[in-house]
Amino acid sequence: MEAPAGSVRPLPDAEAGPGRLSPNLKLYAVGGVILLSVAYLVYINLGSTVAYYLTVPELLRRAEAAGAVDRVRVAGWVVDGTVERSAGGGLKFVIEEEGARIPVVYRGVVPDIFGPGIQVVVEGDFRDGTFQAKTLLAKCPSKFESQLPAQQN
Amino acid sequence: MSEFGHLALLFALGLAIYNLIAALGAGRRFSAPLLTSARNGLLGVAVLMTGALTTLLLALLTHDFSIRYVAENSSLEMPRLFVFTALWGGQAGSLLFWAWMLSVLGALAVWLHFYGEVRLIPWVIAVISGIQVFFLLVLNFLTNPFEKLPVILPNGRGLNPLLQDPGMLFHPPLLLSGYVSWSVPFAFAMAALITGRLGREWLPVARAWAMLAWLIQGAGLVVGGWWAYHVLGWGHVLGWGGYWGWDPVENVALLPWLVGTAFIHSLMVQERRGMLKLWNFGLIIAAFNLSIFGTFIVRSGVLTSVHSFAQSSVGPAFFTFLGISLAASAALVIYRLPVLRAQGDFESLLSREAAFLLNNLLLVGIAFATLWGTVFPLLSEAVRGEKLTVGPPFYNQVNGPLLLALMLLMGVGPLLGWRKTGLKVLLGDLLGPALFGLVVVAGLYGAGIRLVEALLGFWAVAFVAGTVFLEFYRAVRVRRRAMAEGVLTALFRVIGRNRRRYGGYIVHLGILIMAVGVIGSNFFKLEREFTVRPGETFSLGRYTLRFEQVGEWTDPGVRNVGAAITVLEPFERQLLPYRKFYRNWEQTPASHIEIVTVVPWLEDLYVFLTGWSADGSATVHVFVNPLVPFVWLGAAVALFGGVVAAWPARQARPVPAAVPARGGVAGGD
C-alpha cells in the first residue's frame, strides 16, 4: 500500500511499475467492488421480494390457466356492501376492476382510509378463488386527484 | 378574476420565449443590451408568475367557485389555513407553484451573479427560460389552474381531509421548492459546458445553490416523515406507524437529494485537486433530471395503478421534456468530453479524494437501487409484458448494507488528508473510535440486545461519532493552546473559522443521531392490533392499557368517533385516539393518533383507532416505536449543520492588526 520508507516518490504514474498496482487502479478496483455489490444486492433481493402486479381480470385469467397464483399484487375498488369484519380482527371484502370481482380475506393492519369505494392494493396469494392478502394498502392522497372521478361513478 | 390569471400565464409564456431567444442571441455573440433585456425579461416573468399565483390565492380565499381548481380543491367550510394550502393541493396549483418558484429563484440567481459570472449568464438565462417555457406550456394548455367551470357552483368539494393538516403548510411547498432549486446549479453547469469554461468558475455558484436545494429538499423530506408519523399514521401502508415507507412518491423525492449529496461532496475534489470534472457534471445533470422525473412521477400517476400511463394529461408532456433535457445534457457532455477527461491521478487509496469518490459511488449506488426498484414495474412491463413490483423489504435489504458502508466511510473519510495519508497514522486515529464502538456494543449486549444487524449498526454509529468527536477535540485543543480560550469559545470559533468543514461534521452528527432512531425503530418495533370490549385490558411490551368506551362528538363540518383508553402500566394516562369524518369525505376519515414519548426508554407509545362495532367493542392498533425521537432530533441537527455549512461567506473585510491572522486550525475543508 505504502511507498517504502525513505523512497523518493517521483510522479504518481511512475509508481505503477511492474508488480505494483497504481493507486488509480486500486481505487477503480474498490469502486468496482462497490458497484458490483450494489448490482448483486439489487439482483438477489429483486428475486426474493418481487411480486406480480396484475389487474383483477388478468389475475382471473392466469388463475384459470395455472390454478393458484402466488405472490401477486392486485389493485381494485372495494365493492360497497361487501366489507365484513369478524370479531377476531379479520376482514373480508370484494374488490372489483373492469367488471371482474374477487373476494379477499385479510388479517392485519387496516389502512386508515379503508372502506367501500376506496381503491386498495392487496398483496398475497390467490388460491381456490379467494385472495389471501398479506398486506393491504390504500392509495396515498397525493394521487387522490386522478382517483376521484372513478369514485363518483 | 380568472381572466387575469389566464393573461398572466399567457404573457409569461410569451416573455419566456422572448428571453430564451434573446439569451441565446446574447450568448452566441456577446451583446450587452440584448443580455440586459433578457435579464429584465426574466424579472418580468417572475412578476407575472407572482401575479398569477396571487390571483389563484385570491380566488381561493374569496371562494370563486367559477374556477374549476377552486371548486375542486376548496370549500366554504374549510378553515382559512387550509384554503391557503389548497394552492398546492391539486395538480394545476402545484405545477403553478413549481413554475412560480423557478421564476423567482431564476431571477434571483441571475440578479445575484449577473456581473460576477457575465460569461455564463446568457446561457444560464437560456436554460432557465427553456425550463420555464415547458412549464408554462403545460400550465397554459394542459392543466390550467384558471380553467372555468360551465356553471358557478354554490360550494366547492373541499380538500381531501388527509391533506387538511398543518403539515400541508410546509411539506408540499418545501418538496416542490427542493425539486425546483436543482434547476439553478443545473443551469450554471449547462452554461459552463456550453461556453467551455469548465474550470472552477461555475463551482462556487453551483455549490451555494446546490446547498440551498439540499437543505430545502432535506427539510421537505423530514417534514413529510414527521407528518406521516404524527398525523397520517401511515407511509406506504396506511396505518403503519412509520416515518418512511419506500413509497414511489417518497423515493422519487429522495433521488435528487441523494445525488445532490454526492455532488456536494465531490465538488470539493474538483475545487482542491481539479479532478472529477466529468463526474461532477454528471451528478448535477442527474440531480436536475431526477427532479423533473420526480415531478413527473408524482403528477402522472404512472406508478400508482396497474395500467394508467395514458390517464394523466401531463404525463406524456413531462416524459417528452425529460427526454429532451437528458438528450441535450448528454450531447453537451459528449461534446466537451475531450476537455472533461480527468486531470491528475489519484495518488493513494488512502486519500480524501479517494474517500469522496467511494462515498459518491455508494450514494449513487443507493440512488440507483432505489430508482431501479421504483421503476421496476414499468421496466418489467416494457420488457416482459408483466408488471412486477417490489416493496419495502427490497429497499431495506439493498440499501441497509450500503448505508452501513456509507456510514463507515463517513467515519474514515474526514481523517484522511488530501493526496495521501500514512496507513499507520490512520490506524492510530481509528483505534480510539473503534474501541469506543466496541465498548458501546458491549454495553448493549449486556443490556440484552443480541441482534447482529443492530449491534453492527450501533457499533458503526459509535465509531463514527468517535471520529467526529476526535476532529472537534483536536481543533479545539489546538485553538485553546494557541489563543488561551475557554472550551466553548474555542469551539464556536473553530466552527466559525471553517464553517464548511465543521458545518459538514454537524450534518454527519445529525445523520448519526438519525441512524440511532432508524436502527432502533426498524429492529425493535413492537406492533399489535387488539379488538377489545369496554373494560377489557390489553398489553404490548411493558405497557398495559384498558379500553373504556367508544364515544362520538361533532365539530363544525366534522363528525368524530373516538375510543377512550387508559394506560395503566407503567404510568397512568388517558388517551383518546379518534377518527374524523369530514362532510363530503366520509369515505376517507382522518385520524388523530395518540403518541406518548416515554422518556426513560426514549420510545413512543403509539395508539390509533382502526375500527369499532355496534356492540361497543373497538379495534385499536398499538405500536411501541423505540428511539424514534432520535430521528427528529438528528434531522434537526443535520439541517442546522447544513445551514452552518451553506451560510454565505462574509465579504472580505480588513483584519484588525491586533487579531492574529492564523487560528492554527489544521486542515482545509
Side-chain angles (χ1 to χ4, degrees), chain B residues 514-536:
Chain B
M514 283 180 87
V516 171
V518 171
I519 295 167
S521 57
N522 245 324
F523 291 119
F524 303 105
K525 180 173 80 172
L526 299 175
E527 87 169 273
R528 210 170 139 194
E529 191 163 82
F530 298 93
T531 299
V532 279
R533 304 185 159 281
E536 206 174 315

PDB file of all heavy atoms in Angstrom, chain B residues 514-536:
ATOM      1  N   MET B 514     -29.856  10.368  13.698  1.00  0.00           N
ATOM      2  CA  MET B 514     -30.970   9.779  12.961  1.00  0.00           C
ATOM      3  C   MET B 514     -30.797   8.268  12.829  1.00  0.00           C
ATOM      4  O   MET B 514     -31.757   7.505  12.947  1.00  0.00           O
ATOM      5  CB  MET B 514     -31.079  10.378  11.559  1.00  0.00           C
ATOM      6  CG  MET B 514     -31.681  11.754  11.523  1.00  0.00           C
ATOM      7  SD  MET B 514     -31.771  12.368   9.821  1.00  0.00           S
ATOM      8  CE  MET B 514     -33.335  11.689   9.317  1.00  0.00           C
ATOM      9  N   ALA B 515     -29.553   7.851  12.581  1.00  0.00           N
ATOM     10  CA  ALA B 515     -29.293   6.420  12.399  1.00  0.00           C
ATOM     11  C   ALA B 515     -29.684   5.650  13.657  1.00  0.00           C
ATOM     12  O   ALA B 515     -30.229   4.543  13.567  1.00  0.00           O
ATOM     13  CB  ALA B 515     -27.824   6.187  12.062  1.00  0.00           C
ATOM     14  N   VAL B 516     -29.418   6.224  14.845  1.00  0.00           N
ATOM     15  CA  VAL B 516     -29.818   5.575  16.098  1.00  0.00           C
ATOM     16  C   VAL B 516     -31.326   5.322  16.078  1.00  0.00           C
ATOM     17  O   VAL B 516     -31.794   4.215  16.381  1.00  0.00           O
ATOM     18  CB  VAL B 516     -29.432   6.458  17.314  1.00  0.00           C
ATOM     19  CG1 VAL B 516     -30.039   5.894  18.591  1.00  0.00           C
ATOM     20  CG2 VAL B 516     -27.925   6.548  17.442  1.00  0.00           C
ATOM     21  N   GLY B 517     -32.082   6.350  15.685  1.00  0.00           N
ATOM     22  CA  GLY B 517     -33.537   6.214  15.636  1.00  0.00           C
ATOM     23  C   GLY B 517     -33.975   5.192  14.606  1.00  0.00           C
ATOM     24  O   GLY B 517     -34.892   4.395  14.848  1.00  0.00           O
ATOM     25  N   VAL B 518     -33.316   5.210  13.454  1.00  0.00           N
ATOM     26  CA  VAL B 518     -33.714   4.292  12.380  1.00  0.00           C
ATOM     27  C   VAL B 518     -33.427   2.850  12.779  1.00  0.00           C
ATOM     28  O   VAL B 518     -34.274   1.958  12.615  1.00  0.00           O
ATOM     29  CB  VAL B 518     -32.988   4.661  11.072  1.00  0.00           C
ATOM     30  CG1 VAL B 518     -33.226   3.598  10.015  1.00  0.00           C
ATOM     31  CG2 VAL B 518     -33.459   6.023  10.577  1.00  0.00           C
ATOM     32  N   ILE B 519     -32.242   2.616  13.341  1.00  0.00           N
ATOM     33  CA  ILE B 519     -31.890   1.253  13.757  1.00  0.00           C
ATOM     34  C   ILE B 519     -32.868   0.780  14.831  1.00  0.00           C
ATOM     35  O   ILE B 519     -33.416  -0.321  14.753  1.00  0.00           O
ATOM     36  CB  ILE B 519     -30.438   1.206  14.296  1.00  0.00           C
ATOM     37  CG1 ILE B 519     -29.443   1.541  13.179  1.00  0.00           C
ATOM     38  CG2 ILE B 519     -30.118  -0.167  14.879  1.00  0.00           C
ATOM     39  CD1 ILE B 519     -28.045   1.815  13.671  1.00  0.00           C
ATOM     40  N   GLY B 520     -33.101   1.636  15.819  1.00  0.00           N
ATOM     41  CA  GLY B 520     -33.988   1.267  16.915  1.00  0.00           C
ATOM     42  C   GLY B 520     -35.391   0.947  16.439  1.00  0.00           C
ATOM     43  O   GLY B 520     -35.968  -0.097  16.767  1.00  0.00           O
ATOM     44  N   SER B 521     -35.949   1.822  15.610  1.00  0.00           N
ATOM     45  CA  SER B 521     -37.350   1.637  15.225  1.00  0.00           C
ATOM     46  C   SER B 521     -37.499   0.517  14.198  1.00  0.00           C
ATOM     47  O   SER B 521     -38.546  -0.102  14.085  1.00  0.00           O
ATOM     48  CB  SER B 521     -37.936   2.945  14.696  1.00  0.00           C
ATOM     49  OG  SER B 521     -37.187   3.417  13.620  1.00  0.00           O
ATOM     50  N   ASN B 522     -36.419   0.255  13.437  1.00  0.00           N
ATOM     51  CA  ASN B 522     -36.504  -0.800  12.434  1.00  0.00           C
ATOM     52  C   ASN B 522     -36.439  -2.181  13.059  1.00  0.00           C
ATOM     53  O   ASN B 522     -37.176  -3.080  12.676  1.00  0.00           O
ATOM     54  CB  ASN B 522     -35.339  -0.675  11.453  1.00  0.00           C
ATOM     55  CG  ASN B 522     -35.807  -0.348  10.073  1.00  0.00           C
ATOM     56  OD1 ASN B 522     -36.855  -0.819   9.652  1.00  0.00           O
ATOM     57  ND2 ASN B 522     -35.053   0.465   9.390  1.00  0.00           N
ATOM     58  N   PHE B 523     -35.531  -2.335  14.016  1.00  0.00           N
ATOM     59  CA  PHE B 523     -35.268  -3.689  14.513  1.00  0.00           C
ATOM     60  C   PHE B 523     -36.056  -4.021  15.777  1.00  0.00           C
ATOM     61  O   PHE B 523     -36.199  -5.185  16.113  1.00  0.00           O
ATOM     62  CB  PHE B 523     -33.772  -3.863  14.769  1.00  0.00           C
ATOM     63  CG  PHE B 523     -32.964  -3.871  13.512  1.00  0.00           C
ATOM     64  CD1 PHE B 523     -31.982  -2.912  13.284  1.00  0.00           C
ATOM     65  CD2 PHE B 523     -33.188  -4.835  12.531  1.00  0.00           C
ATOM     66  CE1 PHE B 523     -31.238  -2.919  12.123  1.00  0.00           C
ATOM     67  CE2 PHE B 523     -32.446  -4.846  11.369  1.00  0.00           C
ATOM     68  CZ  PHE B 523     -31.473  -3.882  11.163  1.00  0.00           C
ATOM     69  N   PHE B 524     -36.523  -3.021  16.525  1.00  0.00           N
ATOM     70  CA  PHE B 524     -37.119  -3.322  17.821  1.00  0.00           C
ATOM     71  C   PHE B 524     -38.557  -2.848  17.961  1.00  0.00           C
ATOM     72  O   PHE B 524     -39.064  -2.698  19.051  1.00  0.00           O
ATOM     73  CB  PHE B 524     -36.243  -2.746  18.932  1.00  0.00           C
ATOM     74  CG  PHE B 524     -34.832  -3.255  18.869  1.00  0.00           C
ATOM     75  CD1 PHE B 524     -33.801  -2.438  18.405  1.00  0.00           C
ATOM     76  CD2 PHE B 524     -34.560  -4.561  19.220  1.00  0.00           C
ATOM     77  CE1 PHE B 524     -32.503  -2.934  18.316  1.00  0.00           C
ATOM     78  CE2 PHE B 524     -33.258  -5.046  19.137  1.00  0.00           C
ATOM     79  CZ  PHE B 524     -32.229  -4.233  18.681  1.00  0.00           C
ATOM     80  N   LYS B 525     -39.188  -2.575  16.813  1.00  0.00           N
ATOM     81  CA  LYS B 525     -40.575  -2.122  16.853  1.00  0.00           C
ATOM     82  C   LYS B 525     -41.496  -3.255  17.320  1.00  0.00           C
ATOM     83  O   LYS B 525     -41.320  -4.405  16.912  1.00  0.00           O
ATOM     84  CB  LYS B 525     -40.978  -1.661  15.452  1.00  0.00           C
ATOM     85  CG  LYS B 525     -42.404  -1.164  15.355  1.00  0.00           C
ATOM     86  CD  LYS B 525     -42.658  -0.568  13.988  1.00  0.00           C
ATOM     87  CE  LYS B 525     -42.936  -1.649  12.943  1.00  0.00           C
ATOM     88  NZ  LYS B 525     -43.368  -1.092  11.661  1.00  0.00           N
ATOM     89  N   LEU B 526     -42.451  -2.923  18.173  1.00  0.00           N
ATOM     90  CA  LEU B 526     -43.491  -3.891  18.523  1.00  0.00           C
ATOM     91  C   LEU B 526     -44.794  -3.364  17.958  1.00  0.00           C
ATOM     92  O   LEU B 526     -45.037  -2.162  17.990  1.00  0.00           O
ATOM     93  CB  LEU B 526     -43.634  -4.004  20.043  1.00  0.00           C
ATOM     94  CG  LEU B 526     -42.421  -4.472  20.846  1.00  0.00           C
ATOM     95  CD1 LEU B 526     -42.738  -4.406  22.321  1.00  0.00           C
ATOM     96  CD2 LEU B 526     -42.054  -5.890  20.441  1.00  0.00           C
ATOM     97  N   GLU B 527     -45.637  -4.243  17.448  1.00  0.00           N
ATOM     98  CA  GLU B 527     -46.935  -3.770  16.978  1.00  0.00           C
ATOM     99  C   GLU B 527     -47.966  -4.873  17.111  1.00  0.00           C
ATOM    100  O   GLU B 527     -47.654  -6.051  16.956  1.00  0.00           O
ATOM    101  CB  GLU B 527     -46.843  -3.285  15.531  1.00  0.00           C
ATOM    102  CG  GLU B 527     -47.034  -4.364  14.500  1.00  0.00           C
ATOM    103  CD  GLU B 527     -47.191  -3.776  13.098  1.00  0.00           C
ATOM    104  OE1 GLU B 527     -48.320  -3.449  12.715  1.00  0.00           O
ATOM    105  OE2 GLU B 527     -46.176  -3.679  12.425  1.00  0.00           O
ATOM    106  N   ARG B 528     -49.165  -4.494  17.467  1.00  0.00           N
ATOM    107  CA  ARG B 528     -50.239  -5.470  17.542  1.00  0.00           C
ATOM    108  C   ARG B 528     -51.579  -4.786  17.448  1.00  0.00           C
ATOM    109  O   ARG B 528     -51.723  -3.641  17.874  1.00  0.00           O
ATOM    110  CB  ARG B 528     -50.145  -6.236  18.849  1.00  0.00           C
ATOM    111  CG  ARG B 528     -50.689  -7.637  18.696  1.00  0.00           C
ATOM    112  CD  ARG B 528     -50.380  -8.481  19.887  1.00  0.00           C
ATOM    113  NE  ARG B 528     -51.550  -9.284  20.190  1.00  0.00           N
ATOM    114  CZ  ARG B 528     -51.710  -9.931  21.314  1.00  0.00           C
ATOM    115  NH1 ARG B 528     -50.815  -9.841  22.264  1.00  0.00           N
ATOM    116  NH2 ARG B 528     -52.793 -10.656  21.506  1.00  0.00           N
ATOM    117  N   GLU B 529     -52.530  -5.502  16.858  1.00  0.00           N
ATOM    118  CA  GLU B 529     -53.880  -4.962  16.779  1.00  0.00           C
ATOM    119  C   GLU B 529     -54.750  -5.696  17.797  1.00  0.00           C
ATOM    120  O   GLU B 529     -54.643  -6.912  17.942  1.00  0.00           O
ATOM    121  CB  GLU B 529     -54.441  -5.159  15.377  1.00  0.00           C
ATOM    122  CG  GLU B 529     -55.719  -4.378  15.167  1.00  0.00           C
ATOM    123  CD  GLU B 529     -56.036  -4.235  13.681  1.00  0.00           C
ATOM    124  OE1 GLU B 529     -56.592  -5.170  13.097  1.00  0.00           O
ATOM    125  OE2 GLU B 529     -55.726  -3.184  13.113  1.00  0.00           O
ATOM    126  N   PHE B 530     -55.554  -4.923  18.539  1.00  0.00           N
ATOM    127  CA  PHE B 530     -56.414  -5.517  19.565  1.00  0.00           C
ATOM    128  C   PHE B 530     -57.868  -5.174  19.263  1.00  0.00           C
ATOM    129  O   PHE B 530     -58.175  -4.011  19.006  1.00  0.00           O
ATOM    130  CB  PHE B 530     -56.081  -4.937  20.943  1.00  0.00           C
ATOM    131  CG  PHE B 530     -54.672  -5.221  21.389  1.00  0.00           C
ATOM    132  CD1 PHE B 530     -53.663  -4.305  21.122  1.00  0.00           C
ATOM    133  CD2 PHE B 530     -54.368  -6.382  22.083  1.00  0.00           C
ATOM    134  CE1 PHE B 530     -52.366  -4.552  21.535  1.00  0.00           C
ATOM    135  CE2 PHE B 530     -53.071  -6.625  22.502  1.00  0.00           C
ATOM    136  CZ  PHE B 530     -52.068  -5.712  22.222  1.00  0.00           C
ATOM    137  N   THR B 531     -58.734  -6.179  19.332  1.00  0.00           N
ATOM    138  CA  THR B 531     -60.174  -5.895  19.315  1.00  0.00           C
ATOM    139  C   THR B 531     -60.677  -6.166  20.727  1.00  0.00           C
ATOM    140  O   THR B 531     -60.538  -7.286  21.231  1.00  0.00           O
ATOM    141  CB  THR B 531     -60.894  -6.776  18.296  1.00  0.00           C
ATOM    142  OG1 THR B 531     -60.342  -6.488  17.008  1.00  0.00           O
ATOM    143  CG2 THR B 531     -62.384  -6.472  18.262  1.00  0.00           C
ATOM    144  N   VAL B 532     -61.182  -5.126  21.380  1.00  0.00           N
ATOM    145  CA  VAL B 532     -61.463  -5.229  22.810  1.00  0.00           C
ATOM    146  C   VAL B 532     -62.861  -4.721  23.147  1.00  0.00           C
ATOM    147  O   VAL B 532     -63.408  -3.856  22.459  1.00  0.00           O
ATOM    148  CB  VAL B 532     -60.425  -4.416  23.621  1.00  0.00           C
ATOM    149  CG1 VAL B 532     -59.150  -5.200  23.790  1.00  0.00           C
ATOM    150  CG2 VAL B 532     -60.149  -3.070  22.968  1.00  0.00           C
ATOM    151  N   ARG B 533     -63.423  -5.272  24.238  1.00  0.00           N
ATOM    152  CA  ARG B 533     -64.711  -4.823  24.764  1.00  0.00           C
ATOM    153  C   ARG B 533     -64.460  -3.797  25.864  1.00  0.00           C
ATOM    154  O   ARG B 533     -63.384  -3.772  26.442  1.00  0.00           O
ATOM    155  CB  ARG B 533     -65.480  -6.008  25.337  1.00  0.00           C
ATOM    156  CG  ARG B 533     -65.661  -7.110  24.333  1.00  0.00           C
ATOM    157  CD  ARG B 533     -66.530  -8.226  24.857  1.00  0.00           C
ATOM    158  NE  ARG B 533     -67.049  -8.972  23.722  1.00  0.00           N
ATOM    159  CZ  ARG B 533     -68.084  -8.559  22.982  1.00  0.00           C
ATOM    160  NH1 ARG B 533     -68.736  -7.459  23.285  1.00  0.00           N
ATOM    161  NH2 ARG B 533     -68.481  -9.251  21.947  1.00  0.00           N
ATOM    162  N   PRO B 534     -65.466  -2.969  26.169  1.00  0.00           N
ATOM    163  CA  PRO B 534     -65.279  -1.963  27.214  1.00  0.00           C
ATOM    164  C   PRO B 534     -64.821  -2.613  28.525  1.00  0.00           C
ATOM    165  O   PRO B 534     -65.344  -3.644  28.938  1.00  0.00           O
ATOM    166  CB  PRO B 534     -66.666  -1.345  27.369  1.00  0.00           C
ATOM    167  CG  PRO B 534     -67.310  -1.539  26.045  1.00  0.00           C
ATOM    168  CD  PRO B 534     -66.782  -2.836  25.518  1.00  0.00           C
ATOM    169  N   GLY B 535     -63.811  -2.009  29.152  1.00  0.00           N
ATOM    170  CA  GLY B 535     -63.304  -2.508  30.420  1.00  0.00           C
ATOM    171  C   GLY B 535     -62.209  -3.545  30.275  1.00  0.00           C
ATOM    172  O   GLY B 535     -61.518  -3.878  31.232  1.00  0.00           O
ATOM    173  N   GLU B 536     -62.014  -4.054  29.045  1.00  0.00           N
ATOM    174  CA  GLU B 536     -61.001  -5.080  28.819  1.00  0.00           C
ATOM    175  C   GLU B 536     -59.603  -4.468  28.836  1.00  0.00           C
ATOM    176  O   GLU B 536     -59.403  -3.354  28.348  1.00  0.00           O
ATOM    177  CB  GLU B 536     -61.272  -5.744  27.468  1.00  0.00           C
ATOM    178  CG  GLU B 536     -60.761  -7.157  27.348  1.00  0.00           C
ATOM    179  CD  GLU B 536     -61.195  -7.793  26.013  1.00  0.00           C
ATOM    180  OE1 GLU B 536     -62.382  -7.638  25.634  1.00  0.00           O
ATOM    181  OE2 GLU B 536     -60.354  -8.401  25.371  1.00  0.00           O
TER     182      GLU B 536
END
